[in-house]
């Protein structure tokens, strides 16, 4: 009787070992990033510096000794940002091919006065006019933009050049509260240039999840996030990787190299610029599998296109150069011929990615953090 009980115990114990080993084997390999933030000249630690992955909610602050720690990061590439008031913000692309603890030290340089900028800080009619334009261009014109606000516009330093360019920079992060999606966004605006209806801006972006006041608001934010995802760049890239562009409402065409074109110039027929005149001559339809290649790591995918891509979102009517394709239209150019993304559509290495048209009009009111997931 005792032998039978002992055998059962040993069997159960062995099964437990196998189950635990299997569970460990299924856990994804991760990286823990640790290090210290110090003053470049003095070597003194900088306490409570912001350390975060650009365009994400993943971040932390250094402790009173300048030490920081970011656990559970995916193996692969990421852009880490370190900022501290009065110091120049540092952005560094890091790549980890093996899991484990990685040490990265940051030495920050004290900030300098903004150069080449006409500072307009006082409240006056001219500044208020410019501020309205900057707010409109940063937040966008969607229904969600009405639920967004810039909390601290006083940090903007605005320039009004004689050539018609409207520029701006920030002396510390611009804070945008998005009550449509539930984000508080901290934006270091390194550059803002608005000219003839075209906007260029750049900087580091940190997303902070806001706390909903109740369950109803939490559900509303989640619903709005799913709506913002539809037709977004993240949605497009995820569909490419899954080879499900058409199923998700996207039609993608790739420009044919000049040397392979049947005719060097496409002429409109009776003034009608039909897309059918361009297909198999200037452009050709492509599936996701044609554009996606595996990366060096399981967490990476390469989006590859040596020529410009034209993208239509058939779930959304919009301006298009083709009357017979009256859908939201976007042009995407990869200057290096490729970019690196995750299977979930997180662009980790844009390689100069340039977007114009519908997707280029997405602003902070519709912007999801890079680590947002449909499966949450």
């Amino acid at each position: 009787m005792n032998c039978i009980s002992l055998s059962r115990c040993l069997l159960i114990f062995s099964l437990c070992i196998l189950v635990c080993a299997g569970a460990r084997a299924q856990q994804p390999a991760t990286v823990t990033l640790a290090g210290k933030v110090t003053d470049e000249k003095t070597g003194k630690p900088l306490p409570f510096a912001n350390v975060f992955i650009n365009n994400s909610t993943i971040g932390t602050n250094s402790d009173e000794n300048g030490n920081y720690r970011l656990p559970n990061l995916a193996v692969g590439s990421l852009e880490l940002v370190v900022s501290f008031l009065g110091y120049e913000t540092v952005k560094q692309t890091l790549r980890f091919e093996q899991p484990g603890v990685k040490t990265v030290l940051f030495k920050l340089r004290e900030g300098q006065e903004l150069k080449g900028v006409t500072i307009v800080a006082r409240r006056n009619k001219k500044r208020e006019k410019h501020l309205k334009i900057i707010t409109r261009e940063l937040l966008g014109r969607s229904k969600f933009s009405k639920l967004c606000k810039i909390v601290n516009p006083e940090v903007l330093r605005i320039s009004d050049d004689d050539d018609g360019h409207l520029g701006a920079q920030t002396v510390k992060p611009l804070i945008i509260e998005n009550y449509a999606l539930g984000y508080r966004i901290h934006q270091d605006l390194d550059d803002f240039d608005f000219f003839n209806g075209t906007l260029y801006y750049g900087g580091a972006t940190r997303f902070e999840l806001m706390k909903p006041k109740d369950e109803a608001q939490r559900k509303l934010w989640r619903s709005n996030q799913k709506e913002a995802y539809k037709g977004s760049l993240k949605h497009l890239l995820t569909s490419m990787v899954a080879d499900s562009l058409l199923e998700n409402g996207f039609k993608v065409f790739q420009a044919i190299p000049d040397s392979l074109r049947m005719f060097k110039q496409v002429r409109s027929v009776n003034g009608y610029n039909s897309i059918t005149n361009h297909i198999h001559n200037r452009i050709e339809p492509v599936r996701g599998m044609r554009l996606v290649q595996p990366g060096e790591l399981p967490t990476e995918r390469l989006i590859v296109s040596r020529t410009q891509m034209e993208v239509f979102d058939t779930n959304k009517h919009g301006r298009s150069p083709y009357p017979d394709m009256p859908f939201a239209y976007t042009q995407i150019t990869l200057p290096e011929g490729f970019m690196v993304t995750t299977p979930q559509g997180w662009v980790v290495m844009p390689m100069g990615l340039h977007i114009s048209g519908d997707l280029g009009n997405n602003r902070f009111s519709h912007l999801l953090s890079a680590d947002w997931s449909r499966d949450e």
Side-chain angles (χ1 to χ4, degrees):
M1 189 70 175
N2 290 335
C3 291
I4 295 175
S5 299
L6 179 61
S7 298
R8 287 178 177 174
C9 289
L10 289 173
L11 178 60
I12 292 171
F13 182 69
S14 299
L15 288 174
C16 287
I17 292 176
L18 290 173
V19 170
C20 291
R24 285 196 299 270
Q26 292 174 2
Q27 291 178 351
T30 61
V31 170
T32 293
L33 193 60
K36 193 168 187 174
V37 184
T38 59
D39 182 291
E40 182 184 64
K41 288 185 177 179
T42 66
K44 292 182 178 179
L46 297 179
F48 313 116
N50 293 309
V51 183
F52 61 95
I53 299 178
N54 201 13
N55 298 310
S56 80
T57 63
I58 303 170
T60 188
N61 296 108
S62 60
D63 63 17
E64 61 273 12
N65 298 313
N67 297 312
Y68 73 89
R69 188 178 181 86
L70 276 176
N72 301 320
L73 304 179
V75 171
S77 300
L78 56 85
E79 185 176 45
L80 196 71
V81 181
V82 182
S83 66
F84 188 79
L85 187 61
Y87 287 74
E88 295 180 5
T89 297
V90 172
K91 288 193 291 185
Q92 185 172 339
T93 299
L94 304 172
R95 181 174 176 80
F96 306 109
E97 298 184 354
Q98 298 294 332
V101 178
K102 314 294 181 181
T103 301
V104 181
L105 306 178
F106 288 95
K107 299 179 180 180
L108 302 192
R109 179 182 305 170
E110 283 195 74
Q112 300 177 355
E113 293 293 326
L114 300 177
K115 297 180 179 180
V117 174
T118 303
I119 297 179
V120 182
R122 299 184 303 275
R123 290 182 64 88
N124 56 52
K125 290 183 179 180
K126 189 173 184 181
R127 176 179 169 84
E128 294 303 311
K129 177 183 176 181
H130 292 333
L131 190 57
K132 285 183 179 179
I133 296 173
I134 292 171
T135 300
R136 181 194 69 207
E137 293 303 316
L138 287 178
L139 301 185
R141 308 186 191 191
S142 73
K143 65 178 183 179
F144 289 161
S145 63
K146 298 177 182 179
L147 297 173
C148 300
K149 67 175 182 179
I150 295 177
V151 176
N152 56 342
E154 68 276 4
V155 305
L156 283 165
R157 296 298 179 259
I158 302 172
S159 65
D160 181 15
D161 298 335
D162 294 335
D163 57 4
H165 286 262
L166 176 60
Q169 291 175 300
T170 54
V171 294
K172 61 181 181 179
L174 189 71
I175 298 176
I176 300 170
E177 290 185 344
N178 187 335
Y179 284 94
L181 304 181
Y183 289 123
R184 182 176 291 107
I185 301 169
H186 303 256
Q187 177 66 34
D188 282 303
L189 201 62
D190 296 337
D191 187 34
F192 175 100
D193 182 78
F194 182 67
F195 179 68
N196 280 346
T198 301
L199 172 66
Y200 293 95
Y201 71 91
T205 309
R206 177 168 66 91
F207 286 80
E208 178 187 352
L209 294 173
M210 298 172 68
K211 186 177 180 179
K213 61 183 179 181
D214 51 33
E215 182 63 14
Q217 188 173 55
R218 187 194 69 79
K219 289 182 178 179
L220 177 61
W221 284 351
R222 183 60 183 170
S223 175
N224 288 344
Q225 289 169 7
K226 290 181 178 180
E227 183 176 343
Y229 172 76
K230 293 178 181 177
S232 66
L233 178 64
K234 191 179 184 74
H235 189 192
L236 173 66
L237 296 178
T238 303
S239 301
M240 283 185 183
V241 172
D243 195 27
S244 59
L245 287 169
L246 292 178
E247 293 87 339
N248 285 282
F250 294 108
K251 288 189 175 182
V252 179
F253 297 85
Q254 191 176 36
I256 300 172
D258 288 342
S259 60
L260 299 179
R261 291 184 184 179
M262 294 174 57
F263 304 99
K264 296 299 181 183
Q265 185 175 1
V266 179
R267 299 181 182 276
S268 60
V269 178
N270 296 325
Y272 193 76
N273 186 34
S274 169
I275 193 171
T276 57
N277 296 334
H278 296 259
I279 295 176
H280 303 310
N281 179 11
R282 188 184 62 82
I283 57 176
E284 62 176 353
V286 287
R287 290 179 54 182
M289 63 183 299
R290 282 272 306 276
L291 300 168
V292 179
Q293 295 181 11
E296 294 180 356
L297 300 170
T299 56
E300 295 177 337
R301 298 293 185 274
L302 304 183
I303 308 297
V304 181
S305 181
R306 298 292 179 184
T307 58
Q308 187 181 76
M309 291 179 283
E310 298 185 24
V311 180
F312 296 87
D313 181 355
T314 62
N315 291 318
K316 179 181 178 183
H317 283 271
R319 297 182 61 180
S320 163
Y322 313 108
D324 54 340
M325 190 70 79
F327 304 111
Y329 173 76
T330 299
Q331 292 179 321
I332 297 178
T333 304
L334 307 178
E336 299 297 324
F338 76 100
M339 67 177 176
V340 184
T341 181
T342 69
Q344 295 77 33
W346 180 346
V347 179
V348 291
M349 295 180 66
M351 308 300 291
L353 166 68
H354 184 266
I355 301 174
S356 61
D358 181 66
L359 287 178
N361 293 328
N362 282 349
R363 300 291 192 262
F364 285 109
S365 63
H366 249 75
L367 194 62
L368 295 169
S369 65
D371 54 316
W372 182 86
S373 174
R374 293 176 300 170
D375 303 324
E376 291 176 355

